[in-house]
Amino acid sequence: MFSGKKILVGITGGIAAYKVAEVVSRLRKQHAEVHVAMTKSATEFIAPLTLRSLSANPVYVDLFDEPKLWNIEHIALAEHVDAVIVAPATANMLAKMAIGLADDFLSTVLLATRAPIFVAPAMNQAMYQHPATQDNLARLRDRGIQIIGPATGFQACGTEGIGRMSEAEEIVESLVQFFSGVELLKGKKALVTAGGTQEPLDPVRYLGNRSSGRMGYAIAQALQEAGAETILVSAPTDLLPPPGVTCISVRTALEMYDVVLSRFPEMDVVVKAAAVADYRPAVQVDQKIKKDGSSRTIELVPNPDILAELGRKKTSQILIGFAAETENLLANAQEKMLRKNVNLLVANDVTKPGAGFNSPTNIVSFLFPDGRRIDFPQMSKLEVARNLVSEIASLLVCKRSETNG
Ligand code: PMT
């Protein structure tokens, strides 16, 4: 399963550290190249020699040790690996990760890597349930880090509760799941739009909306993780494009229209997550509009509907639209799906807490033209994006078998 994959196992100081020997062993049996980095406290629970023997690689503990393989080892290792699993992840390590503290080898690699990170928390139930730990986990989840477990049961401190590290089998299974999605869109070209367009009135003012770009950026990340060559057409946001994704910045709906339409013919998949202004001011003046005490009227003219235009032009592309609704979610979304001729429509009620604009999470339904519907609970935007990518992969498979007769 893991042939050719390079996985870093980060071990921190908890009693569950001994269970990680089995994680390393299972990964190796499934042909992963395994590297191990331990905190100093972890070495109190399990000897580096055990991990060195099981991984067949040197074990990293201290930032200032003699280099074992590369010159600047923490950076080289961070760039070398395809995934990182931190198990057990103590409350202390989760807190360090949440604030980006890099004061030892493992936390430095975690800050330097752009590989997907998994954590398997393990701690006493009171520590796990503490709001500080829950806040840190929420921040990590928001950043796309996958949290595995923890499980409930008997704890080393003698109490029962939530906080036991997940079993080795479950940890390895999460990595299997992840890597089986990695090749899903290999060789495909995808384009995603994100953010809210800005329609200028004068050199300093514009009409805009509350889109942060988070949903579209998460989709670009998930498409890229799944192997698609991904272009992100982004209206202004405060976000950094995901690594490996080509970002084209635009400001207005007309600029977005030009870029998206010109790239459309070469795409396999297009996802329109951007909040595009339906109207723009009829006139954009060159100088700042002065106040003179009188009331003003702004004349608006319609912008082109980019998604509807793509729906008319589409040949073999899989076209995904969004519907941001404040009432009659499903009926309005259904109408948009048919009118814009999309293969899948993601409906979100943007008035719900935890959904829509500028929230780290979303609550969505996927609607399909054949009448199918999948309702999802509240989840991070990256989880929504990964679910969307698996549906896109299925739609591409269906399209291929239709084409092949
Ligand atoms: O960016 P975030 O803060 O993470 O917020 C995410 C989001 C709420 C913006 C996102 O989940 C979402 O719902 N995006 C679509 C917003 C929107 O414009 O919805 P709409 O119902 O007005 O438009 C329907 C579809 O047509 C959308 O795919 C939109 O991109 C597209 N459209 C709309 C108008 C237009 N002129 N051209 C378009 O292509």
Side-chain angles (χ1 to χ4, degrees), residues 232-266:
L232 174 63
V233 182
S234 178
T237 71
D238 294 333
L239 306 173
L240 283 178
V245 168
T246 305
C247 185
I248 302 176
S249 299
V250 295
R251 188 173 180 210
T252 63
L254 286 178
E255 286 170 23
M256 185 173 276
Y257 176 90
D258 287 343
V259 174
V260 173
L261 267 289
S262 70
R263 298 295 186 123
F264 189 53
E266 68 200 78

Side-chain angles (χ1 to χ4, degrees), residues 50-110:
T50 308
L51 283 316
R52 185 183 165 164
S53 312
L54 289 171
S55 69
N57 270 315
V59 171
Y60 302 88
V61 178
D62 201 316
L63 262 178
F64 303 104
D65 279 347
E66 276 299 298
K68 295 179 178 75
L69 289 177
W70 301 282
N71 281 342
I72 309 175
E73 289 186 307
H74 55 282
I75 302 295
L77 192 61
E79 288 171 355
H80 178 70
V81 293
D82 299 303
V84 183
I85 164 76
V86 184
T90 56
N92 182 54
M93 182 52 88
L94 296 174
K96 290 207 301 190
M97 289 171 75
I99 59 168
L101 199 65
D103 63 354
D104 61 10
F105 189 94
L106 178 57
S107 52
T108 309
V109 175
L110 287 168

